[in-house]
Amino acid sequence: MGRKALITGVTGQDGAYLSQLLLGKGYEVHGLVRRSSHSEVDDHRLKWIGVRDDINFHDGNLTDLSGLIRVVREVKPDEVYNLGAQSFVKASWQQPLLTTEVTAKGVANILEAVRLEAPEARYYQASSSEMYGLIQEPKQSESTPFYPRSPYAVAKLFGHWLTVNYRESFGLHASSGILFNHESPLRGLEFVTRKVTDAAARIKLGQATELPMGNLDATRDWGHARDYVKAMWLMLQQDTPDDYVVATGRTISVRELCRVAFEVVGLDYEKYVRLDERFMRPAEVEVLLGDPAKAERQLGWTADTTFEQLIQEMVEADLVRRRRAAA
Ligand code: NDP
Ligand code: GDP
């Protein structure tokens, strides 16, 4: 019999790529979806990637323990991937309590549901490089101390340590992936890469004239989501659960991101980008640079896509989308 996976956050960027990966490996894929005022699932990413009709959807919410228990009892998954979150750093200052409910306490809820209903299941927690925040070492590895700089990062730190604690307390096969920023044509438009690639496409097509931006000097270690979901799966195939940094080992500024994206459409970013205070943050994470040596060594994982290939793919996808929308 094929294996069963339950994914929270299945409608998000990583949920779409992970579903595609698992379906390709013969898994039965189940996804948790939260109810809204319309009955439709927000399935645009799953459709884009071509897996929408292959997923079994279950109503539920990370804030609702009883619902999670019901879903885990019904599905009896072999693997659980907890990707659901209020995932946007900037929004976490405007909605710190919601972020705490979903991104922190939601982890306690899903871990409890797994412990009670499927204790043999293998569990993946979507932890984040944002936990390093005000970096304590120039290159961040599994042993680098954390210093979160936003309500989002504080919530993620809770989820990370609770995952470690459930592993140590109850013997759950629970792993935490400390993933550095990863992007794709399916990234939300509020995140900086997609904001820039979409703007480059719109400006090229004459649909916009400028791009308001925040801190151009911040640097991030950006990889491709398609590569990063492979690391999630590999973590759950190990005999022993553990924590892994997943990164490319290269850090690039937001300014350079703008340059590369506009270059794809043959434009000079300096003519279009302007600074806008609204996109600055109360506390900034200036630099993130990951050391993926452990994931490479123990999981045999590597980031296959370069930053330049990633941005090119994103700009080209946005050109297609914006042309289609205007037609
Ligand atoms: P997205 O924002 O694209 O997706 C988030 C998902 O969480 C969506 O499916 C959303 O559902 C769901 N969700 C939100 N609130 C709830 C809730 N209360 N109950 C159940 N589901 C909920 O994130 P990504 O795919 O980019 O990221 C996946 C995970 O990895 C997240 O936890 C993120 O914080 C983490 N992460 C991401 C990184 C990145 O660079 N992408 C880096 C490190 C960690 P809906 O469609 O209804 O909104
Ligand atoms: P994060 O690393 O999870 O916060 O991912 P984001 O893509 O939201 O932001 C990455 C970096 O880009 C942060 O340092 C932001 O301050 C910086 N940045 C600069 N301008 C913008 C902007 O207009 N939007 C966003 N989202 N980030 C910006």
Side-chain angles (χ1 to χ4, degrees):
M1 256 214 357
R3 280 179 289 175
K4 283 192 263 184
L6 173 64
I7 305 174
T8 75
V10 73
T11 52
Q13 168 187 259
D14 293 5
Y17 281 100
L18 181 63
S19 297
Q20 186 186 49
L21 178 79
L22 296 178
L23 287 164
K25 291 183 184 296
Y27 279 72
E28 187 177 304
V29 175
H30 295 259
L32 188 81
V33 287
R34 53 178 175 165
R35 206 194 114 57
S36 59
S37 59
H38 50 86
S39 55
E40 305 292 308
V41 174
D42 178 6
D43 56 6
H44 71 277
R45 293 188 172 98
L46 296 168
K47 274 187 177 149
W48 193 90
I49 216 164
V51 299
R52 197 253 175 248
D53 295 334
D54 301 321
I55 293 170
N56 305 282
F57 295 110
H58 301 264
D59 285 335
N61 197 301
L62 281 167
T63 59
D64 177 5
L65 174 61
S66 65
L68 293 175
I69 288 176
R70 179 181 51 75
V71 171
V72 174
R73 184 182 297 155
E74 272 171 28
V75 174
K76 283 273 176 239
D78 300 293
E79 296 175 10
V80 176
Y81 295 86
N82 184 33
L83 311 184
Q86 189 304 93
S87 69
F88 187 38
V89 170
K90 182 93 193 292
S92 74
W93 280 286
Q94 277 119 25
Q95 299 188 59
L97 300 179
L98 175 84
T99 304
T100 305
E101 285 298 327
V102 180
T103 307
K105 285 171 71 181
V107 182
N109 287 332
I110 185 75
L111 276 170
E112 272 296 278
V114 170
R115 180 173 79 86
L116 295 170
E117 298 294 338
E120 300 303 320
R122 296 184 171 195
Y123 176 87
Y124 173 83
Q125 173 58 27
S127 293
S128 166
S129 56
E130 290 291 319
M131 300 188 307
Y132 296 118
L134 191 62
I135 54 168
Q136 303 293 298
E137 288 177 339
K139 207 166 186 187
Q140 299 90 54
S141 71
E142 294 78 7
S143 59
T144 303
F146 299 116
Y147 193 136
R149 290 272 279 175
S150 62
Y152 167 81
V154 174
K156 280 290 178 191
L157 200 48
F158 174 88
H160 169 72
W161 280 118
L162 200 69
T163 302
V164 173
N165 182 259
Y166 268 51
R167 178 167 80 216
E168 294 175 354
S169 306
F170 303 117
L172 289 193
H173 192 296
S175 293
S176 175
I178 306 173
L179 270 54
F180 283 61
N181 297 51
H182 47 281
E183 320 292 315
S184 73
L186 297 182
R187 186 62 143 149
L189 273 166
E190 65 276 31
F191 293 90
V192 74
T193 51
R194 184 75 201 294
K195 177 175 168 177
V196 170
T197 61
D198 179 64
R202 282 186 297 126
I203 291 171
K204 179 67 181 176
L205 298 174
Q207 300 173 359
T209 53
E210 59 173 18
L211 171 56
M213 292 287 298
N215 179 12
L216 297 179
D217 296 321
T219 80
R220 289 291 183 274
D221 181 330
W222 277 299
H224 198 306
R226 192 175 43 224
D227 295 342
Y228 284 38
V229 298
K230 289 183 198 157
M232 297 178 187
W233 177 78
L234 282 167
M235 283 178 220
L236 299 205
Q237 310 317 305
Q238 306 306 303
D239 291 339
T240 314
D242 207 340
D243 309 320
Y244 297 90
V245 161
V246 177
T248 70
R250 183 180 170 207
T251 193
I252 291 163
S253 70
V254 173
R255 188 185 309 281
E256 178 66 2
L257 156 68
C258 294
R259 194 191 66 72
V260 171
F262 278 74
E263 198 175 70
V264 174
V265 289
L267 296 175
D268 175 3
Y269 81 97
E270 286 184 291
K271 295 196 177 123
Y272 305 98
V273 169
R274 69 170 170 78
L275 293 184
D276 185 331
E277 282 296 321
R278 285 179 306 153
F279 298 105
M280 300 292 185
R281 295 174 176 191
E284 179 60 295
V285 173
E286 293 292 348
V287 180
L288 288 174
L289 172 60
D291 177 359
K294 180 176 170 185
E296 289 174 356
R297 198 176 55 246
Q298 291 189 24
L299 303 178
W301 177 86
T302 45
D304 294 329
T305 315
T306 66
F307 175 74
E308 289 73 14
Q309 288 166 338
L310 166 69
I311 299 305
Q312 173 145 5
E313 183 184 330
M314 290 176 69
V315 173
E316 282 169 1
D318 281 321
L319 279 169
V320 170
R321 274 190 281 229
R322 289 294 176 184
R323 269 200 200 101
R324 232 180 248 154

